[in-house]
Amino acid sequence: MTTPRTDSPLASAAAPADGPRRELLQSVVDVARAIFGAAASSVFLLDEEADELVFQAVSGEGEEFLVGRRFPAGRGIAGWVVTSGEPMVVDDLTTDTSFDRSLAESTSYVPNALMAAPLISESRILGVLEVLDPSPQARSSVRELDLLAMFARQAAAALRVITPERAPERAPDGPAAGGRALDGAQREDALRLLVSLEQVLRGTG
């Protein structure tokens, strides 16, 4: 398997999550699951070098064993969302040809319906946010899909804040380059984005 590039913020994002990023992404899936009344929610990040999507956070069904699992970026509805850059809702997955049932069966949970939206920041797709088996009201409303897409955009913006570009390697005897550790202000900015959007979504739901 190809190792992700360390000079790419997207490759860095698809690497195993560090503490602050893990906290951020878990907040994303927990909030999305609650807002849309879903059985489960997950975030996949795109590893461009390997052309794979990586489970980075899961809430609900599969959260005990799916984090870190990879699959080809072109497979299933998540793959379609990454390729198209458009959100998608499917009310009956038994009739949808883009749904990869064998992939779902390999995760030990096969949903009947799902909603998915791309994580887009600065015109780049970082990954996909999915909610599985959302409430019937959520899956039947275009407005609800727009809310999911807005939430995904805000999550992507927060992810960009919390996963900055890597600094150059330090020169001999020079100051250490800034790693992935966030200062307090960056971490608070990222989490504040999600908190504010959660309030908006709950207020208009």
Side-chain angles (χ1 to χ4, degrees), residues 23-155:
E23 178 182 348
L24 171 68
L25 295 176
Q26 193 62 47
S27 296
V28 169
V29 293
D30 287 343
V31 170
R33 181 187 176 201
I35 289 173
F36 296 98
S41 178
S42 54
V43 163
F44 312 94
L45 294 185
L46 178 63
D47 181 339
E48 289 185 319
E49 184 76 4
D51 194 29
E52 293 175 330
L53 286 168
V54 186
F55 278 97
Q56 289 284 4
V58 178
S59 179
E61 296 285 347
E63 62 183 306
E64 300 88 356
F65 57 88
L66 286 177
V67 173
R69 180 168 179 171
R70 295 168 169 264
F71 62 92
R75 289 186 66 178
I77 289 175
W80 185 91
V81 170
V82 163
T83 301
S84 68
E86 298 292 332
M88 184 177 187
V89 58
V90 182
D91 191 43
D92 183 2
L93 290 170
T94 62
T95 62
D96 191 272
T97 57
S98 60
F99 178 56
D100 190 332
R101 182 165 293 273
S102 63
L103 177 61
E105 289 173 347
S106 73
T107 70
S108 300
Y109 178 64
V110 180
N112 296 311
L114 67 76
M115 302 166 67
L119 298 168
I120 301 177
S121 179
E122 300 176 2
S123 300
R124 301 189 73 176
I125 296 178
L126 306 183
V128 179
L129 170 63
E130 281 191 351
V131 289
L132 308 181
D133 287 325
S135 68
Q137 177 185 2
R139 71 182 73 164
S140 62
S141 169
V142 173
R143 175 175 168 272
E144 293 294 313
L145 185 60
D146 289 342
L147 289 177
L148 180 65
M150 181 171 65
F151 185 53
R153 287 194 298 272
Q154 199 80 346

